[in-house]
Amino acid sequence: MGRVRSPHPNGHRKYLTMPDGATATFDLFEPRSEHCTGEDVTMVICPGIANHSEKQYIRTFVDYAQKNGYRCAVLNHLGALPNIELTSPRMFTYGCTWEFGAMVNYIKKTYPQTQLIVVGFSLGGNIVCKYLGESQANQERVLCCVSLCQGYSALRAQETFMQWDHCRRFYNFLMADNMKKIILSHRQVLFGDNNMKKPQSLSEADLGKLYTATSLMQIDDNVMRKFHGYSSLKEYYEEESCLHYLHRIHVPLLLVNAADDPLVHESLLSIPRALSEKKENVMHVLPLHGGHLGFFEGSVLFPEPLTWMDKLVVQYANAICQWEKTKPHCSDAEQAVSGQE
């Protein structure tokens, strides 16, 4: 209800052809004011499950970031935009970083002077953390990373997602229903007999199971894991979760959750808590209230579209940018001496 007055920032859609023939898209929004440090800074943003740049919470955040001097690049999850057809028999998955990586590489190449703030919402938080942890090179020119309302381990979350407390099972059903609609809208490319090579393990029988699925886990098992050839749901969740990559992230990392998130069970919060206790670059923020990507402020029925979450990310990014600008940097000679020591 707080999103009824969301802004409509103007951006330009970019298209990138992936090695397997898929067409990745992202929207690019230029800053509308000078950044507080005077530097060129770009936020590279990964939305939540089946989301894209046209979602209201993304529009609200992008508009606020633009006003604070940030360029924004927002990934559109593969298959999520209703007016963009798939060009290969593959959709986005829980932890595939290919499209996000392609977007980041485009930004680095097009804007060689820019520095990056990495932001992920929900499922997008898993993707951006996994992306940064996959390679040290992926952290180059990255000032910090912010993950909002992610669950860290799909394997540990799957059992809790079938429980009824906080209406979690009901949310699971609604999200599964939305995923079914998206997959079925690309049915011809994913399941049809066409010239494009679909995954060998994907069959008409899986299409039948998709119609009767009532949970995300059933959809993941029958369809999503097969895009990348995982032999089981356990293997898919294990390999695509950021849990085993978080300790490899060395840039400042802000992990935000809410204690009353209906989707992320409290048992999963031990992951970011333990990480923040071990690593100095990690901060875990856990307000009592906020729900899942909520954090609304203002009146109860019609809160403000701009949320505490939006302001937190921008304020944290501003602080990191200012710290980065003022901290002493070693000269090349000092770095050489340090390396010899």
Side-chain angles (χ1 to χ4, degrees):
M1 289 186 290
R3 303 293 186 184
V4 294
R5 290 176 284 115
S6 298
H8 290 78
N10 294 318
H12 300 282
R13 184 152 295 164
K14 304 294 183 179
Y15 299 81
L16 302 173
T17 301
M18 305 300 293
D20 66 346
T23 302
T25 69
F26 69 94
D27 285 29
L28 190 61
F29 304 85
E30 292 297 331
R32 292 163 55 186
S33 66
E34 185 178 357
H35 191 265
C36 62
T37 63
E39 303 292 334
D40 186 303
V41 189
T42 303
M43 286 193 174
V44 282
I45 302 166
C46 191
I49 184 171
N51 287 175
H52 44 74
S53 63
E54 297 174 11
K55 290 294 182 179
Q56 291 176 318
Y57 74 96
I58 296 293
R59 294 193 337 237
T60 301
F61 176 73
V62 166
D63 179 75
Y64 186 63
Q66 282 181 293
K67 290 176 180 176
N68 281 270
Y70 291 95
R71 179 186 299 108
C72 294
V74 183
L75 181 69
N76 300 310
H77 283 301
L78 199 62
L81 280 170
N83 57 337
I84 302 293
E85 296 290 335
L86 292 177
T87 56
S88 76
R90 178 173 66 85
M91 282 179 53
F92 75 92
T93 56
Y94 178 66
C96 180
T97 60
W98 299 350
E99 286 74 46
F100 184 77
M103 179 181 77
V104 171
N105 289 338
Y106 175 94
I107 295 298
K108 286 182 176 180
K109 183 178 180 180
T110 307
Y111 304 95
Q113 79 286 3
T114 198
Q115 293 177 299
L116 305 179
I117 306 289
V118 177
V119 182
F121 294 90
S122 191
L123 171 139
N126 179 74
I127 289 177
V128 300
C129 287
K130 182 171 178 284
Y131 168 76
L132 291 178
E134 284 175 341
S135 167
Q136 188 63 38
N138 292 346
Q139 299 178 47
E140 294 176 359
R141 292 168 56 185
V142 173
L143 295 179
C144 65
C145 173
V146 183
S147 165
L148 301 143
C149 296
Q150 70 147 309
Y152 308 100
S153 171
L155 188 62
R156 288 170 57 173
Q158 64 172 326
E159 291 185 7
T160 70
F161 226 44
M162 296 300 288
Q163 298 170 0
W164 280 100
D165 59 308
H166 296 286
C167 299
R168 196 175 297 107
R169 180 67 181 90
F170 179 63
Y171 282 115
N172 190 351
F173 174 81
L174 293 179
M175 295 168 70
D177 189 59
N178 184 52
M179 277 299 302
K180 280 200 289 188
K181 292 176 181 177
I182 294 174
I183 294 172
L184 290 173
S185 71
H186 300 290
R187 176 174 46 199
Q188 187 58 38
V189 175
L190 297 176
F191 296 94
D193 295 325
N194 46 47
N195 294 327
M196 289 182 289
K197 186 179 180 181
K198 64 182 179 182
Q200 293 181 353
S201 55
L202 208 57
S203 66
E204 288 295 326
D206 296 317
L207 181 59
K209 294 176 183 177
L210 176 65
Y211 280 110
T212 60
T214 61
S215 72
L216 286 175
M217 286 71 75
Q218 290 172 322
I219 295 175
D220 288 341
D221 193 20
N222 293 314
V223 179
M224 306 303 283
R225 68 172 175 84
K226 298 180 180 180
F227 292 138
H228 295 290
Y230 291 109
S231 60
S232 68
L233 185 63
K234 181 180 183 297
E235 181 188 15
Y236 170 60
Y237 283 159
E238 184 78 20
E239 294 295 325
E240 299 231 338
S241 293
C242 71
L243 176 62
H244 305 297
Y245 297 88
L246 289 169
H247 68 281
R248 302 179 188 174
I249 300 175
H250 303 297
V251 300
L253 176 60
L254 179 65
L255 304 173
V256 183
N257 292 98
D260 64 350
D261 191 325
L263 301 183
V264 181
H265 192 269
E266 61 181 356
S267 63
L268 298 169
L269 301 181
S270 62
I271 297 172
R273 186 182 302 115
L275 188 71
S276 65
E277 292 172 352
K278 293 178 181 178
K279 301 196 64 178
E280 291 185 351
N281 65 306
V282 180
M283 181 188 299
H284 183 220
V285 177
L286 185 66
L288 293 178
H289 306 288
H292 191 72
L293 301 180
F295 302 100
F296 288 113
E297 296 179 326
S299 62
V300 176
L301 292 180
F302 297 101
E304 296 296 323
L306 185 67
T307 72
W308 176 85
M309 174 182 71
D310 303 317
K311 291 182 281 187
L312 171 70
V313 177
V314 170
Q315 289 173 10
Y316 177 76
N318 286 346
I320 291 293
C321 291
Q322 290 170 345
W323 172 73
E324 180 70 23
K325 188 174 182 179
T326 57
K327 75 176 184 179
H329 292 273
C330 295
S331 65
D332 292 340
E334 290 173 324
Q335 290 177 347
V337 172
S338 176
Q340 290 174 359
E341 292 175 351

